[in-house]
Each structure stands twice: as C-alpha cells, then as structure tokens.
C-alpha cells in the first residue's frame, strides 16, 4: 500500500486557502478541503481526482473532529494540516465589543488549537506529519484598530512554538507561515488602485503586495521538501514590510 499523502486544509473554498489546496494537489497530494459549504475550489483537470470535500465549521469542536476523521478515513491517513480559516474585524480598541473579540479569537486562534489537537492522533497513526498554521505579520507589529486581530495572530505563533516542542518526539512538525498584504478576490479592487495601493507601494520594500500563489508555493514547498529539522518557526512572507524602518 502506498504511503498516505493526504493533507487537510481549512477555509479551502477561496482566497489563500483555495490557492494552497490547488498547489498541494498539483504537487501530487490528496487534499481534504474543509469548508463551511463542503465544497472545494474549482478543480483543474490535471488534479481533479485529488480532492476530498468535507463540510466543517472550524468554530465547532465536534464539526472539526468529524471533518478530520472523515479526511483521514477517505484519504487513507493524514500527513498534514493547514490551518488557514480566519476572519478579520477591526475597530477602535476603546469601543471594540467583547463579542467581536471572542468571535475573532474563536475563529483565528481557538480553532487552530482545536484542529491541531484533533489532527494529532491521525498524524501519530501515520508516523508523524507537518502542520502549517497561517498567521500574519500583524503578529509582531502594532496596528491601529486591529488589537483583536493582532492578538489572535500572535496566538497562532505561540501555539505553533508550543506544539512544535511538545510533539517533536512524535515526528510532528509545526510551522507558522505569516503573510503580509496579499491580493485576493475580496480586496483586489482596493489593492489595485487608490490610497491603499499607493501606501503599500511606498511601505513595502518589494514595492507591491503579494499574491495568493506566493503563499501557496511556500506551503507547497514545505510539504514537498519535507525538511525534518524545520519546526516551531514563523516564516514571514511580507516583502520585508514588517522589518522595514
């Protein structure tokens, strides 16, 4: 029997998650797309048979457990998890509602912990694997009106480090990929022209925002190259914006 090559990706229906799912499929992996709708992204002909559609609400622990069990069962084992699902809410900190804080933390941070925990026995059963958490370069900078988002993404980095240390003996590696400004279908118009475009052109040393394929190619490389000694790190993919002064 061939070794299992199934990777679960949360929030895989659009944007960065869809790009990651497609990139992994093109590299020969079977991809379990965990989405609220239970639908995966449009499938290219050359990778059409490498997707498993799984309905999942990442804020519901029971849903996450069922989805990962289904992914492992249908994919004949689970060797990876990409925690991509997340939301962004902003607002003045002195007015920010607690319910919005809780929603942000539940979706961006708690769901990462829960998915990692529920994936653990499936990864152990396959002899180990790699978890990639999608964080943000906002985890290390101060951004007005983004207290909750920054905190949630800082938590992703902390979760990554702690699990990498605790699970290393089980041959499970955990890496945090932290993108900067990335053009997606939701923000393409704002990124293409206007104040935000002009700001980013000046602020990002690379002179432009990144694309979903930048993130997808990095995640794909982490799985394809399978570097055993790389774990616990946050890899920033922001065109050097976060370190520019």
């Amino acid at each position: 029997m061939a070794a299992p090559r199934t990777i679960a990706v949360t929030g895989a229906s659009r944007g960065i998650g869809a790009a990651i799912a497609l990139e992994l499929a093109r590299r020969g992996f079977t991809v379990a797309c965990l989405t609220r709708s239970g639908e995966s992204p449009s499938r290219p002909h050359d990778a059409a048979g490498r997707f498993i559609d799984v309905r999942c609400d990442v804020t519901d622990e029971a849903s996450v457990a069922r989805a990962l069990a289904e992914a492992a069962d249908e994919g004949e084992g689970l060797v990876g998890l990409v925690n991509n699902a997340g939301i962004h809410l902003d607002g003045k900190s002195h007015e920010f509602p607690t319910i919005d804080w809780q929603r942000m933390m539940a979706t961006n941070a708690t769901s990462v912990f829960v998915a990692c925990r529920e994936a653990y026995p499936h990864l152990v059963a396959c002899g180990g694997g790699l978890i990639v958490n999608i964080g943000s370069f906002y985890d290390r900078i101060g951004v007005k009106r983004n207290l909750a988002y920054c905190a949630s993404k800082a938590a992703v980095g902390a979760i990554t480090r702690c699990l990498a240390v605790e699970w290393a003996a089980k041959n499970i590696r955990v890496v945090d990929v932290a993108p900067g400004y990335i053009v997606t279908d939701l923000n393409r118009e704002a990124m293409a022209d206007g104040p935000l475009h002009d700001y980013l052109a000046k602020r990002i040393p690379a002179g432009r925002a990144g694309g979903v394929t930048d993130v997808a190619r990095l995640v794909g490389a982490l799985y394809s190259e399978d570097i055993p000694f790389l774990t616990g790190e946050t890899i920033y993919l922001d065109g050097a914006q976060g370190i520019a002064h």
Side-chain angles (χ1 to χ4, degrees), residues 3-242:
R5 287 176 59 82
T6 300
I7 300 168
V9 181
T10 68
S13 63
R14 62 183 183 181
I16 292 173
I20 290 171
L22 292 171
E23 181 67 22
L24 291 171
R26 290 191 184 101
R27 289 174 181 260
F29 294 96
T30 297
V31 184
C33 298
L34 277 56
T35 65
R36 283 181 178 271
S37 64
E39 297 178 358
S40 59
S42 299
R43 307 174 184 189
H45 177 73
D46 60 347
R50 300 197 185 105
F51 291 92
I52 301 170
D53 297 337
V54 184
R55 189 181 299 275
C56 179
D57 177 355
V58 297
T59 64
D60 181 329
E61 293 191 33
S63 177
V64 173
R66 285 194 301 269
L68 288 171
E70 181 178 338
D73 184 53
E74 292 195 27
E76 298 182 342
L78 195 68
V79 297
L81 166 67
V82 180
N83 280 306
N84 165 77
I87 60 172
H88 178 264
L89 303 172
D90 66 5
K92 296 178 180 179
S93 296
H94 70 283
E95 299 174 344
F96 201 75
T98 301
I99 191 170
D100 286 343
W101 166 277
Q102 293 171 334
R103 180 185 172 200
M104 185 93 74
M105 297 303 290
T107 307
N108 293 0
T110 305
S111 72
V112 171
F113 157 66
V114 170
C116 289
R117 183 190 68 198
E118 297 302 324
Y120 175 82
H122 303 295
L123 296 174
V124 170
C126 287
L130 170 64
I131 297 172
V132 175
N133 298 322
I134 303 300
S136 169
F137 84 134
Y138 271 30
D139 68 355
R140 61 175 175 176
I141 59 178
V143 187
K144 293 178 181 179
R145 300 174 58 90
N146 277 269
L147 170 62
Y149 185 76
C150 290
S152 71
K153 291 302 183 178
V156 171
I159 291 168
T160 297
R161 291 186 292 274
C162 291
L163 293 183
V165 172
E166 188 171 347
W167 292 353
K170 295 295 186 180
N171 196 32
I172 296 173
R173 296 178 295 113
V174 191
V175 175
D176 176 17
V177 169
Y181 283 94
I182 302 295
V183 178
T184 69
D185 291 338
L186 295 179
N187 63 23
R188 190 176 306 280
E189 185 174 341
M191 293 282 201
D193 193 17
L196 180 57
H197 172 272
D198 295 343
Y199 167 76
L200 294 178
K202 295 177 181 178
R203 187 68 185 84
I204 301 175
R208 62 171 180 83
V212 293
T213 56
D214 292 313
V215 184
R217 288 173 63 192
L218 174 56
V219 173
L222 289 171
Y223 280 101
S224 293
E225 293 300 324
D226 188 25
I227 306 168
F229 214 49
L230 175 59
T231 189
E233 292 298 323
T234 294
I235 303 175
Y236 292 98
L237 190 68
D238 62 359
Q241 181 179 355

